[in-house]
Amino acid sequence: MQDTVDALEYVRQLFAAGCIQSGFFHPLCLYRAFPGRPASARYGITLKPLPAVSFAKNDVGFVDPTGVDHAALGIALNKALYNYMHGLGLDQDVRSWFAGRVPRTQCRGTSSPAPSTEGLSPHR
């Protein structure tokens, strides 16, 4: 959850600074051919059994023991990005896009500098 909030804050700063005009967050997923699948236990996730082999069954289901609702995170990220692409919501706390309690982002606050365009040449 913290990584997601921090990532959205980073993207918000890029939009606010005029560095990007669009974006996309890809949902977390594992694929059959993913070489890190055996290491998935290191990340605390449990893989679901693979379905019977058939055409285009590449995604591997998993259980996240943290209880994070990845689908709900995707909805919040898509809503935030849609608004950012229209110049809306760039001044609000990124946590407001998520339903329920979310951690305070590590990227924003009194100890973090405001986004700067110094030395940047936004592509328009």
Side-chain angles (χ1 to χ4, degrees):
M1 177 62 101
Q2 182 68 56
D3 288 342
T4 301
V5 174
D6 290 346
L8 183 58
E9 171 59 17
Y10 181 72
V11 169
R12 184 201 65 78
Q13 290 182 23
L14 290 172
F15 273 102
C19 296
I20 59 174
Q21 292 81 39
S22 67
F24 179 79
F25 279 99
H26 195 282
L28 175 66
C29 59
L30 300 175
Y31 298 102
R32 284 181 186 249
F34 177 60
R37 275 188 49 229
S40 61
R42 176 175 36 158
Y43 300 105
I45 61 175
T46 304
L47 300 179
K48 292 182 178 179
L50 292 172
V53 177
S54 64
F55 180 76
K57 295 284 186 178
N58 296 317
D59 291 357
V60 177
F62 64 92
V63 176
D64 183 345
T66 65
V68 171
D69 183 348
H70 293 277
L73 291 180
I75 291 169
L77 292 170
N78 287 337
K79 185 174 182 180
L81 285 176
Y82 177 84
N83 281 275
Y84 293 167
M85 286 188 275
H86 290 88
L88 303 171
L90 292 169
D91 57 347
Q92 71 187 60
D93 189 317
V94 296
R95 294 174 295 164
S96 66
W97 298 108
F98 302 94
R101 268 180 69 113
V102 295
R104 180 170 297 281
T105 179
Q106 300 296 314
C107 299
R108 187 176 188 180
T110 56
S111 62
S112 298
S116 170
T117 57
E118 183 179 332
L120 299 176
S121 175
H123 298 253
R124 299 228 182 249

